[in-house]
Amino acid sequence: MKNETAEHSCPLTKAMANIGNKWKPIIVCVMHERNLRFGEIAARIPVISRKVLTDQLKEMELDGLLTRQEFKEIPPRVEYGLTEKGKALLPILKLLQEWETKFINQVSVV
Amino acid sequence: MKNETAEHSCPLTKAMANIGNKWKPIIVCVMHERNLRFGEIAARIPVISRKVLTDQLKEMELDGLLTRQEFKEIPPRVEYGLTEKGKALLPILKLLQEWETKFINQVSVV
């Protein structure tokens, strides 16, 4: 039997460390169409505070889910966009939505 | 434009509230083959404390991801098993693993 008891540094643990929180999947979803500025992202997720959004975007950039691009204009402009990794997550997030929707009323507690 | 700025109580937020943490996906994975007792689950995830595992299993039962069955034997036996909802998550978790594995070296920070 494969040693399942090995410490779980498996890709799934890393994936969940990457996206397994309340905000990151939503941020990826709202950016699915085009690059957005901070204010545009914040407007699409009104329930998130600016501080939390700032932190999440920084983490997501480090995790390779999105890019941050500065345009040397006056006033300066910053845009966020999904990387290939970020875009590749979209169909999986869609499956998760469908999974939740399908079972939404089937919470059976024995 | 669909009102994307509506508060995000969308299925994705609920799905992430359900499974979006470090342990639940791993617990679902180690239970993919058969029902397991607490000790068997703990043995398969040595890095998790018994307290945390107890709490996670309770939450997962309430979330409808698994069932908890008591057998009136001496000594009493308790087994955990995946519900349909839990089992339906397995292919999605596999996709997440593949996604992480595929992009594992492509963390590009601009």
Side-chain angles (χ1 to χ4, degrees), chain A residues 5 7 20 43-44 46-47 85 99, chain B residues 4-5 7 20 43 46-47 99:
Chain A
T5 57
E7 194 196 330
R44 283 163 169 75
V47 286
K85 181 174 184 178
W99 168 77
Chain B
E4 280 179 308
T5 57
E7 195 197 330
V47 286
W99 168 76

Side-chain angles (χ1 to χ4, degrees), chain A residues 1 4-8 10-16 18-22 25-26 29-30 32 43-47 61-68 83-85 88-89 92-93 95-97 99-101 103-104 107-110, chain B residues 1 4-8 10-16 18-22 25-26 29-30 32 43-47 61-68 83-85 88-89 92-93 95-97 99-101 103-104 107-110:
Chain A
M1 195 181 72
E4 280 180 307
T5 57
E7 194 196 330
H8 267 271
C10 71
L12 185 56
T13 308
K14 287 193 185 129
M16 276 305 160
N18 244 331
I19 60 135
N21 80 10
K22 183 174 163 178
I26 297 173
C29 280
V30 302
H32 71 283
R44 283 163 169 75
I45 318 175
V47 286
E61 192 186 351
L62 288 174
D63 291 340
L65 290 172
L66 52 81
T67 57
R68 180 181 187 279
T83 58
E84 283 313 302
K85 181 174 184 178
L89 190 57
I92 300 174
L93 295 181
L95 286 174
L96 267 174
Q97 277 187 298
W99 168 77
E100 181 63 33
T101 307
F103 289 99
I104 208 140
V107 174
S108 57
V109 177
V110 170
Chain B
M1 194 180 71
E4 280 179 308
T5 57
E7 195 197 330
H8 267 269
C10 71
L12 185 56
T13 308
K14 287 192 184 131
M16 276 304 161
N18 245 331
I19 59 130
N21 80 12
K22 182 174 166 180
I26 297 173
C29 279
V30 302
H32 71 283
R44 284 163 169 75
I45 318 174
V47 286
E61 191 186 353
L62 287 174
D63 291 340
L65 290 172
L66 51 80
T67 57
R68 180 180 185 279
T83 58
E84 284 312 303
K85 182 174 184 177
L89 190 57
I92 300 174
L93 295 181
L95 287 173
L96 268 175
Q97 277 188 299
W99 168 76
E100 182 63 33
T101 306
F103 289 99
I104 207 138
V107 175
S108 58
V109 178
V110 170

Side-chain angles (χ1 to χ4, degrees), chain A residues 4 8 24 26 30 36-37 49 52 57 67 75 78 98 108:
Chain A
E4 280 180 307
H8 267 271
K24 291 179 183 170
I26 297 173
V30 302
L36 294 175
R37 278 180 266 172
S49 75
V52 170
L57 292 173
T67 57
V78 172
E98 289 161 6
S108 57

